[in-house]
Amino acid sequence: MTAPLRSFLAEVVSAGTLLPEPERARWAVNGAIPSAVLMPSSEEEVGRILARASQEGWGVLPAGFGRWLAGGGGANVELVISTRRLRDVQEYEPADLTFTAGAGISLSSLAEATGANGQWLPLDPPGGEEGSLGAAVATGMGGPLGQWYGPPRDHVLGLTMVSGDGEVLRWGGRVVKNVAGFDVTRLCIGSWGALGVITSVSGRLFPLPEVDVTLILEGHQRFSLLPHARALALSSLPLAALELLDPLDWKEGGSRSPAGLVVRLLGSREEVEAMETRVPREAGDAGVFKRLEGEESRAFHGRLGRWEEGAGLVLRMVALPSLLGAVLRLVEDSQAQWKRFPAQEGLDVRVAAHVGAGVVRVAVWGISLEGDGLRGGWVEALSGLREVLEGMGGSLVLSSGPAPLVREVGTWGGRRVEKTLMQGLKRQFDPQGILAPGRFAG
Amino acid sequence: MDGNDLTEPLPLQLLRDLQAAVGTDWIFSDPDRMVVYETDAQTAHSQAPHAVVLPATTEEASEVVHALHGHGILMIPRGAGTGLSGGAVALRGGVVVGTSRMTGILEVDHENRRALVQCGVLNNDLNAAVAPYGLHYAPDPSSQSACTIGGNVAENSGGPHCLKYGVTSRYVTALRVVLPDGRVTWLGGQGREQGAFDLAGLFVGSEGCFGLATEVEVALLPLPEAARTLLVIFETIEDAGRAVTAIISRGLLPAALEIVDRNTIRAVEASIFAAGYPTDAGAALVVEFDGVEAGLERHAEEAARCCLDAGAREVRHAESDQERMALWKGRKKAFGAMGRLAPDLLVQDATVPRSRLPGVLARISEIARRYDLQVANVFHAGDGNLHPNLVYDRRDPEEGRRVEQASAEIMKVCVEAGGTITGEHGVGVDKRKYMHLVFSPAELEILRGVKQVFDPMGLCNPGKVLPDGQEAP
Ligand SMILES: Cc1cc2nc3c(=O)[nH]c(=O)nc-3n(C[C@H](O)[C@H](O)[C@H](O)COP(=O)(O)OP(=O)(O)OC[C@H]3O[C@@H](n4cnc5c(N)ncnc54)[C@H](O)[C@@H]3O)c2cc1C
Ligand SMILES: Cc1cc2nc3c(=O)[nH]c(=O)nc-3n(C[C@H](O)[C@H](O)[C@H](O)COP(=O)(O)OP(=O)(O)OC[C@H]3O[C@@H](n4cnc5c(N)ncnc54)[C@H](O)[C@@H]3O)c2cc1C
């Protein structure tokens, strides 16, 4: 630790804000442990920290609970600022179906607060509901429920952020319709900490559905359920979620089938019953669906949310939904190729796809770079896969993986982005370029 | 001066470049042809531009904008001119770049529920093109028969059904944009959540200040299979407001919840749009549910019960599509009819948290009384989006001043209630002076900076959205 940093920690940071030493190792960003992890208790304190960091040129990574810091690509980080202590529900008016809460509240705590009034925020980002609200917004990442409810950008009405030079800025508000000024709220959603530390979020809630039913179809061959999935995606049924899983573990510790199609139905009793009778038909008489209701259905989706826990490599592939079949074939071919790598024949490769959105997530257990030419093999394989996807007009994100692999392959692809606009915007919010250094505009 | 001197003609070389880009027929500056370009639907602001240019393609638009940029001439994007905040008016001179020739529907990709259109396509025409596939484009501004998709993008427009479906920005997935220097670029697109800021999201609602959107990719939804529509008549507008709160508190999610007040009903009933709403009523509420058939009936019944409990005097049900249209008519034609009340109409627009509606409405009628003005309310009640419209006669400058003062007070009341100064019509020219009610100086500075990133020379629709320094409080 440098002397200026040491004196800063003594002068600027209040007691209780510095994370105790033994825990710091858990906050490594791509293998590098930051000099300090700070947990400020107010926006103003976040502001003081960032103002100083800007002066000194210290790299800062905004974070929630640090469960997925590797996600956004290489960052050269001195300090991590965690929103963990900014976790109050600041405003909640059930009659308005809106709330404002600190970015450090977990989605599960928020669900508890709103559930008491029969309302919910229909967001299910990867990693499950123990993640923070701020991280869901900063990553802009939704999950299966996006099929009907849309990604975080459709739920956020406004947010408070602290910019790189320590200014507290409020964008949007807590009303559902708001076109005053340019839409900076949107710009911040999915900005991965590169524009500021998000300190609070206002969002739109929905009435909790009366009935929660999940229908599950098992397939005997990998990827065999694709035609049924596409048929459902093209029906006019308002499905809450439509997921293809290969393989399918539909019960904890239960047996595994090679393939699964998961349909979630939310709504009134009559509506769900009507949809239930129509799903098998609209799926093209695919066979008998298993049925989960209420708590069982919720528990199943809870497990699904933590689906890639412990995987050594996670890929996120996006293409037009009509290309889903082609993407799944690519995965199948890739898997065969990976398993031919020395000592990788035991790889466990699983796939979960958001059918409506054309998103295919691939999680790999048992990946190793320690072997003859293994590292080079993986780099080449993943770069090649990305190239093919980009050739199809899609993209591949290396959501997580062994640090050297992430470094060489890069988290994001070479998708054509407006570099000048991106860098110009970044400078407005973070003139010294200290936030999430190395992430996409840095 | 700030802008282009209106007494100076455009440079000859520029005229030649513009003619070369679009052909001589599609650039004009004769007063007769330019008259419709002097205002938008908010007629209070009026100014003829130096000229109007109508490109037909992105390439032509790019050449036009590049030429203007080269000569330091202002560029004002314009769709159909139905805007209600003066956004498309060339107040500081310059050239209006109109999109009325860019009406191509480039692709309807029903397999992926998306369409790619040129920016001048009318909202209704897009819907007509995708309906054969059982799809629709959800945002439905009341002006949808006249307004363009490009204008909707620029204003982030909403509509009655946005309560359930959300506004324009939810549906815009990619934009092809001519930047203010003439460069063409794509914003958003496949996998836009990844590795880039949401530039398409930022562009939506930028009111023509960031460049000209020439092509728009939108997400489509399947047409709802069925709908139930109610028209509920109330003695007072407060009762109608309470009914709305009761419906939402019950956990019902209607597709639309729209209120018209007594003055509006009377205007409609006295016009050619007469819809059979009772003229002695205090307010009428349109409630609509849509989705799969099952369950709609019960939802409609529950909503009707909420209304009756809140003091409704009559609930009308639509039994057919035709009856449904009839119930909607009084709401949809409200603006058209209000034009009859007085020579001029200031269509106001603000949002408040839904639960504050009754209190805010009472404050608004008190303000109107105090300034001796007639206010006619039409609003998206489910979203808390108010249109307290003021009727006046602009030839009477004293009345004009009262309208100004009353508007300023209404804006303050809405902001104090936790709301904002515009819900869907935009800041444009009119509301720049209220921007400081919702933004701090530091935030305004960032907004200016963001504008500069897109438009470093300040040539693209200047004098809109951002207050000039001297207009701060
Ligand atoms: C097992 C598992 C798998 C996951 N898979 C994926 C995946 O495939 N793709 C994906 O995108 N995410 C993934 N995530 C991340 C997940 O979606 C949530 O973002 C995360 O769980 C939230 O945890 P956290 O609050 O600890 O956030 P953190 O891990 O602390 O932060 C997550 C990211 O968001 C940024 N961030 C967090 N808070 C803020 C803030 N207040 N202001 C600005 N930036 C902030 C951080 O810089 C970081 O990049 C996964 C998480 C887990 C646990
Ligand atoms: C009777 C009536 C009812 C209305 N109802 C509603 C309603 O329910 N909901 C609602 O939200 N609005 C409503 N409006 C307002 C108006 O119709 C919308 O704002 C509409 O989106 C404007 O579209 P336009 O094509 O007429 O744009 P214009 O008025 O021509 O322009 C509006 C703004 O957009 C910019 N612009 C236009 N095209 C482009 C482009 N291609 N690229 C970049 N910038 C561009 C212009 O510079 C200007 O700032 C209503 C208006 C009327 C007259």
Side-chain angles (χ1 to χ4, degrees):
Chain A
M1 193 180 302
T2 58
L5 184 57
R6 198 170 303 116
S7 78
F8 158 77
L9 291 177
E11 293 156 20
V12 180
V13 175
S14 59
T17 294
L18 186 64
L19 184 84
E21 192 54 23
E23 289 179 52
R24 189 158 50 95
R26 199 180 60 76
W27 293 73
V29 183
N30 296 325
I33 300 174
S35 300
V37 177
L38 304 174
M39 307 174 293
S41 61
S42 67
E43 282 159 3
E44 292 66 36
E45 194 179 6
V46 176
R48 283 196 301 276
I49 296 168
L50 285 174
R52 181 67 179 272
S54 259
Q55 280 166 15
E56 305 280 352
W58 294 328
V60 174
L61 188 67
F65 312 132
R67 302 169 79 230
W68 193 258
L69 292 181
N76 183 8
V77 170
E78 196 84 27
L79 303 175
V80 169
I81 296 184
S82 161
T83 56
R84 191 154 104 172
R85 291 206 292 163
L86 305 170
R87 54 188 314 278
D88 295 341
V89 176
Q90 298 162 3
E91 226 162 8
Y92 174 33
E93 182 54 67
D96 291 335
L97 285 166
T98 61
F99 73 94
T100 303
I105 193 171
S106 67
L107 293 174
S108 62
S109 307
L110 183 64
E112 221 167 279
T114 58
N117 288 288
Q119 300 179 349
W120 71 320
L121 176 69
L123 259 193
D124 55 351
E129 24 168 47
E130 293 317 315
S132 64
L133 173 64
V137 174
T139 59
M141 199 63 69
L145 286 173
Q147 165 74 20
W148 176 252
Y149 293 97
R153 64 198 301 276
D154 295 342
H155 305 295
V156 177
L157 304 173
L159 51 83
T160 305
M161 58 153 25
V162 183
S163 64
D165 44 5
E167 197 88 55
V168 179
L169 305 167
R170 288 172 219 285
W171 305 111
R174 58 188 179 93
V175 286
V176 195
K177 279 169 82 181
N178 186 347
V179 294
F182 307 131
D183 200 344
V184 177
T185 308
R186 288 284 158 130
L187 178 66
C188 293
I189 300 171
S191 64
W192 287 87
L195 298 177
V197 178
I198 296 168
T199 50
S200 80
V201 175
S202 299
R204 178 183 182 183
L205 299 168
F206 286 77
L208 271 169
E210 248 169 61
V211 184
D212 183 337
V213 167
T214 297
L215 302 178
I216 301 174
L217 185 64
E218 287 178 276
H220 302 297
Q221 234 180 328
R222 275 208 109 167
F223 306 131
S224 57
L225 298 174
L226 176 70
H228 307 297
R230 282 292 293 158
L232 280 173
L234 290 174
S235 77
S236 59
L237 292 175
L239 309 175
L242 181 59
E243 296 281 298
L244 259 183
L245 299 177
D246 289 271
L248 164 80
D249 301 296
W250 73 278
K251 246 192 182 132
E252 206 134 38
S255 64
R256 204 190 245 204
S257 5
L261 175 61
V262 175
V263 184
R264 193 173 187 187
L265 306 172
L266 301 174
S268 67
R269 164 89 35 213
E270 298 94 323
E271 197 181 354
V272 170
E273 271 171 11
M275 287 197 280
E276 257 191 90
T277 56
R278 283 175 56 186
V279 163
R281 212 171 352 136
E282 305 240 5
D285 287 323
V288 184
F289 283 80
K290 286 204 167 74
R291 181 178 188 282
L292 307 174
E293 185 174 343
E295 205 33 64
E296 270 195 321
S297 171
R298 278 187 288 280
F300 174 80
H301 291 283
R303 282 200 303 280
L304 195 54
R306 299 187 307 273
W307 164 86
E308 71 269 77
E309 233 161 47
L313 175 72
V314 180
L315 309 177
R316 185 178 172 93
M317 303 158 73
V318 187
L320 285 175
S322 59
L323 298 175
L324 197 56
V327 175
L328 291 176
R329 273 194 302 280
L330 265 177
V331 173
E332 215 171 1
D333 294 347
S334 302
Q335 178 186 338
Q337 181 201 1
W338 302 338
K339 287 192 174 183
R340 285 196 300 271
F341 288 164
Q344 297 280 258
E345 59 281 352
L347 282 184
D348 185 6
V349 179
R350 304 196 192 184
V351 178
H354 308 321
V355 177
V359 172
V360 175
R361 292 188 301 142
V362 181
V364 181
W365 284 261
I367 180 174
S368 161
L369 303 185
E370 311 297 318
D372 233 10
L374 248 188
R375 177 162 156 180
W378 274 109
V379 169
E380 205 175 308
L382 295 182
S383 305
L385 189 55
R386 173 174 283 159
E387 212 174 292
V388 177
L389 266 160
E390 288 180 354
M392 292 162 60
S395 64
L396 180 147
V397 177
L398 210 174
S399 297
S400 80
L405 196 58
V406 176
R407 253 194 319 274
E408 278 184 64
V409 179
T411 299
W412 320 102
R415 225 167 51 85
R416 159 207 59 178
V417 287
E418 261 303 324
K419 283 265 157 50
T420 13
L421 293 180
M422 299 256 297
Q423 284 161 358
L425 290 168
K426 162 101 172 154
R427 266 196 300 278
Q428 299 305 316
F429 293 85
D430 180 22
Q432 304 306 321
I434 59 161
L435 288 169
R439 280 200 183 158
F440 43 80
Chain B
M1 72 159 267
D2 218 358
N4 296 137
D5 189 344
L6 282 150
T7 60
E8 286 277 325
L10 295 176
L12 264 178
Q13 184 56 45
L14 172 63
L15 285 174
R16 277 191 220 108
D17 291 348
L18 295 176
Q19 283 171 352
V22 298
T24 47
D25 286 350
W26 303 113
I27 164 163
F28 50 87
S29 54
D30 39 319
D32 286 356
R33 243 177 126 185
M34 290 215 302
V35 79
V36 293
Y37 293 89
E38 286 176 12
T39 71
D40 64 5
Q42 173 78 294
T43 52
H45 303 280
S46 170
Q47 176 60 55
H50 277 87
V52 175
V53 187
L54 304 177
T57 62
T58 301
E59 291 68 29
E60 287 185 14
S62 164
E63 279 182 51
V64 166
V65 175
H66 181 76
L68 294 172
H69 182 261
H71 286 88
I73 298 296
L74 307 184
M75 189 267 280
I76 295 88
R78 182 180 177 103
T82 69
L84 287 168
S85 50
V89 181
L91 282 181
R92 300 179 181 184
V95 171
V96 164
V97 180
T99 63
S100 53
R101 293 175 67 219
M102 302 180 68
T103 54
I105 293 179
L106 304 176
E107 193 186 353
V108 177
D109 175 6
H110 66 98
E111 268 210 282
N112 293 301
R113 293 194 169 154
R114 56 184 268 285
L116 181 66
V117 302
Q118 279 190 305
C119 58
V121 166
L122 303 186
N123 181 302
N124 261 359
D125 291 348
L126 169 57
N127 273 303
V130 302
Y133 301 97
L135 299 171
H136 72 133
Y137 173 66
D140 59 341
S142 309
S143 52
Q144 70 187 143
S145 62
C147 63
T148 65
I149 295 297
N152 294 174
V153 165
E155 299 288 1
N156 193 10
S157 299
H161 291 84
C162 293
L163 172 58
K164 176 168 173 187
Y165 292 103
V167 295
T168 302
S169 61
R170 180 164 183 179
Y171 296 92
V172 173
T173 52
L175 291 169
R176 194 163 184 213
V177 171
V178 177
L179 294 170
D181 63 2
R183 220 155 43 87
V184 178
T185 187
W186 278 99
L187 307 179
Q190 268 296 302
R192 72 161 151 187
E193 74 219 59
Q194 291 152 3
F197 299 138
D198 184 0
L199 297 179
L202 179 62
F203 193 97
V204 174
S206 61
E207 303 195 27
C209 294
F210 292 174
L212 183 76
T214 55
E215 291 169 29
V216 184
E217 185 194 68
V218 296
L220 305 169
L221 291 182
L223 282 162
E225 294 180 357
R228 284 289 181 290
T229 310
L230 308 176
L231 177 70
V232 190
I233 309 298
F234 291 89
E235 299 293 352
T236 69
I237 195 161
E238 288 76 20
D239 289 349
R242 281 193 293 124
V244 166
T245 303
I247 290 170
I248 298 290
S249 303
R250 232 194 129 78
L252 296 171
L253 183 59
L257 275 174
E258 300 277 313
I259 294 182
V260 290
D261 74 352
R262 183 192 313 260
N263 283 342
T264 309
I265 293 175
R266 289 187 176 167
V268 170
E269 293 306 318
S271 76
I272 52 163
F273 307 119
Y277 290 20
T279 51
D280 62 337
L285 167 67
V286 179
V287 185
E288 185 159 284
F289 291 92
D290 70 8
V292 295
E293 175 69 38
L296 289 181
E297 198 59 48
R298 175 164 66 91
H299 285 161
E301 272 165 27
E302 285 182 25
R305 171 83 5 239
C306 291
C307 292
L308 291 168
D309 288 348
R313 91 173 187 212
E314 185 193 348
V315 179
R316 299 182 188 173
H317 297 258
E319 304 293 341
S320 65
D321 258 4
Q322 212 176 347
E323 283 182 31
R324 179 173 166 235
M325 287 307 137
L327 295 190
W328 268 107
K329 193 173 169 192
R331 164 63 187 91
K332 295 220 161 166
K333 297 296 181 192
F335 284 123
M338 267 182 233
R340 290 176 30 99
L341 288 177
D344 294 292
L345 177 70
L346 181 72
V347 178
Q348 264 306 358
D349 168 44
T351 314
V352 298
R354 184 171 32 227
S355 61
R356 307 294 296 273
L357 274 177
V360 168
L361 286 170
R363 290 289 300 278
I364 290 174
S365 46
E366 180 270 318
I367 292 169
R369 251 195 325 274
R370 194 150 33 81
Y371 285 100
D372 194 19
L373 293 167
Q374 210 190 354
V375 57
N377 282 292
V378 184
F379 52 101
H380 310 297
D383 291 326
N385 187 186
L386 296 164
H387 297 310
N389 305 311
L390 299 168
V391 287
Y392 71 110
D393 183 345
R394 129 172 30 152
R395 288 162 305 187
D396 176 352
E398 194 274 331
E399 190 177 36
R401 264 194 302 282
R402 278 185 281 131
V403 166
E404 265 303 298
Q405 287 164 346
S407 294
E409 284 199 32
I410 291 173
M411 288 301 121
K412 269 218 181 80
V413 164
C414 291
V415 171
E416 279 164 15
T420 190
I421 57 172
T422 169
E424 58 179 20
H425 294 164
V427 175
V429 185
D430 265 343
K431 292 197 164 158
R432 295 193 308 148
K433 55 181 176 289
Y434 306 130
M435 285 287 277
H436 67 268
L437 293 177
V438 280
F439 293 106
S440 73
E443 289 151 6
L444 285 173
E445 212 33 57
I446 297 254
L447 292 182
R448 279 194 199 96
V450 167
K451 155 88 170 153
Q452 264 170 25
V453 169
F454 284 87
D455 181 23
M457 307 252 296
L459 293 176
C460 190
N461 210 9
K464 312 291 162 65
V465 183
L466 298 167
D468 295 330
Q470 65 270 24
E471 292 183 35

